[in-house]
Amino acid sequence: MKKSIQMEELVCPMCAQKIETALKKAEGVTDAQVMYNASKAKVEFDENVTSLDTLKEIITSLGYVVIK
């Protein structure tokens, strides 16, 4: 499954890298790309292993705000 996660404006490119690294380490995630300029993450994951809500929780646990 491929989904996009919109976040509040990211402050720097390192923020995007931090989120991307955490998402890629999550169980069930096969790919993750975070676009700094768009403040958006595109995540490909196995919905039988993890959920969109879990991935959003990973982002919020890093201190970032998920919009949708």
Side-chain angles (χ1 to χ4, degrees):
M1 172 176 281
K2 291 182 181 179
K3 291 287 186 176
S4 292
I5 302 171
Q6 186 68 47
M7 297 162 279
E8 282 189 357
E9 185 176 345
L10 298 177
V11 180
C12 66
M14 291 306 296
C15 297
Q17 184 62 44
K18 181 178 176 181
I19 295 166
E20 187 173 300
T21 299
L23 290 172
K24 285 182 176 180
K25 289 181 180 178
E27 188 176 351
V29 173
T30 54
D31 190 33
Q33 296 177 335
V34 179
M35 284 121 336
Y36 160 68
N37 292 335
S39 297
K40 182 184 289 186
K42 290 186 179 181
V43 188
E44 188 172 341
F45 61 96
D46 182 343
E47 61 188 311
N48 295 315
V49 178
T50 192
S51 68
L52 185 59
D53 287 338
T54 299
L55 300 175
K56 289 178 178 180
E57 287 173 19
I58 290 170
I59 295 170
T60 57
S61 73
L62 295 171
Y64 302 97
V65 178
V66 173
I67 297 173
K68 61 177 183 170

